[in-house]
Amino acid sequence: MSEKTRKFLIRFLVALAVGGVLALLYLLAREFFAGVHEGKDRFRYLADAFTIPGVMLILSGLLVWCTRQGAFDGVSFSVGLFFRTIFQPGNLTKKSYPDYVAEKREKRKEKPGCAYLYLAGGVHLVVAIVFLLLFYL
């Protein structure tokens, strides 16, 4: 197994575990394990429990992708310049916005993709769809 594949699997398993913890927290908050819910309602709560982390993981992946495409570079440059102006007035750099964007773009080339978030979210959504089908059958 290559190093790249191993890192991808570790990220994927961590994302699955985070989604599992979120599903468990949802079920605990709904008193699922207390035996309050019976019959098909159990499948509905399980479907809800896996839908929430699935959607959250997919949207997190989308946010990471947007960030890596440079969608927030202008905001980041402006906020950084504002705080450097306020708190370090003697330490202002003369870096222009195009230089800042070029530097960020070079740093982004080294970062891994975010497909593991999409895949982990998709797994959670498939599990949620199975429970949803069981609820309606």
Side-chain angles (χ1 to χ4, degrees), residues 111-122:
K111 294 191 177 186
C114 54
Y116 64 94
L117 290 170
Y118 299 130
L119 189 59

Side-chain angles (χ1 to χ4, degrees), residues 17-82:
V18 167
V21 168
L22 288 173
L24 181 65
L25 289 173
Y26 176 83
L27 292 173
L28 288 172
R30 297 291 178 197
E31 298 177 349
F32 182 79
F33 300 108
V36 176
H37 311 291
E38 294 180 6
K40 289 194 169 203
D41 276 345
R42 296 179 69 79
F43 290 129
R44 183 173 57 96
Y45 281 103
L46 285 168
D48 289 348
F50 283 98
T51 300
I52 293 168
V55 170
M56 287 178 68
L57 286 168
I58 289 173
L59 291 178
S60 296
L62 184 63
L63 184 63
V64 168
W65 180 80
C66 288
T67 301
R68 290 187 182 159
Q69 294 300 313
F72 303 112
D73 283 351
V75 174
S76 176
F77 179 78
S78 300
V79 169
L81 183 63
F82 172 76

Side-chain angles (χ1 to χ4, degrees), residues 67-100:
T67 301
R68 290 187 182 159
Q69 294 300 313
F72 303 112
D73 283 351
V75 174
S76 176
F77 179 78
S78 300
V79 169
L81 183 63
F82 172 76
F83 281 111
R84 279 193 306 276
T85 303
I86 298 295
F87 296 113
Q88 300 172 348
N91 191 17
L92 289 178
T93 59
K94 300 293 182 189
K95 189 186 309 183
S96 67
Y97 179 70
D99 295 337
Y100 176 80

